[in-house]
Amino acid sequence: MTHPDALDHAYRFYYEGEAAARTEQFIEAYAKAEARTTGTYRYYNAVVDVSGGSTASLVYCEDQGKAYDLYLKTKKVDKTPVTKNSYVLYSSQLKRNDKGVWVVDKLSSQRGSAECRP
């Protein structure tokens, strides 16, 4: 996360409804902590299912084993050990908005998912 604005136009363009609200809370928490993310995230095992041309689902895994929090005041990087919780399964529902753009409407995550662990 490099831009801690909870009302940032870029993410609000692609997120609506419940997903927008959850993302806003996530960004606000980082802004309040005066933190950013740093390091590397790896995404894999993506599965997309399009239904009828106007709705879709996207399920994918994220490896956060080399991603860390960076606290801006101290420049301290919180390097945590890799555990099962470093692997997250995301499930999202998308829809086409009135401009024809695919937007994320619902988003859930499961930290420590066995489906995502090596």
Side-chain angles (χ1 to χ4, degrees):
M1 173 178 309
T2 59
H3 189 72
D5 180 357
L7 299 177
D8 184 70
H9 176 72
Y11 98 82
R12 295 191 61 84
F13 185 80
Y14 292 105
Y15 287 76
E16 291 182 355
E18 177 186 312
R22 290 186 69 200
T23 302
E24 184 176 331
Q25 291 171 345
F26 177 81
I27 293 170
E28 285 175 346
Y30 267 87
K32 183 177 181 179
E34 297 185 24
R36 305 286 185 279
T37 57
T38 188
T40 304
Y41 291 86
R42 184 172 68 94
Y43 302 95
Y44 53 98
N45 293 350
V47 177
V48 177
D49 181 26
V50 179
S51 305
S54 62
T55 61
S57 65
L58 169 62
V59 177
Y60 62 95
C61 292
E62 178 184 57
D63 176 352
Q64 298 178 349
K66 294 181 181 177
Y68 312 103
D69 291 335
L70 165 66
Y71 295 92
L72 299 176
K73 282 186 177 180
T74 63
K75 303 294 185 211
K76 179 181 181 261
V77 175
D78 187 11
K79 289 196 173 185
T80 55
V82 176
T83 68
K84 70 176 188 174
N85 287 333
S86 301
Y87 303 95
V88 184
L89 176 67
Y90 289 95
S91 300
S92 57
Q93 293 180 348
L94 297 94
K95 65 179 183 179
R96 282 191 198 260
N97 67 13
D98 57 358
K99 296 175 182 138
V101 176
W102 286 102
V103 296
V104 179
D105 188 47
K106 293 185 180 180
L107 179 64
S108 64
S109 61
Q110 179 186 357
R111 185 165 293 284
S113 170
E115 185 176 329
C116 295
R117 283 182 272 167

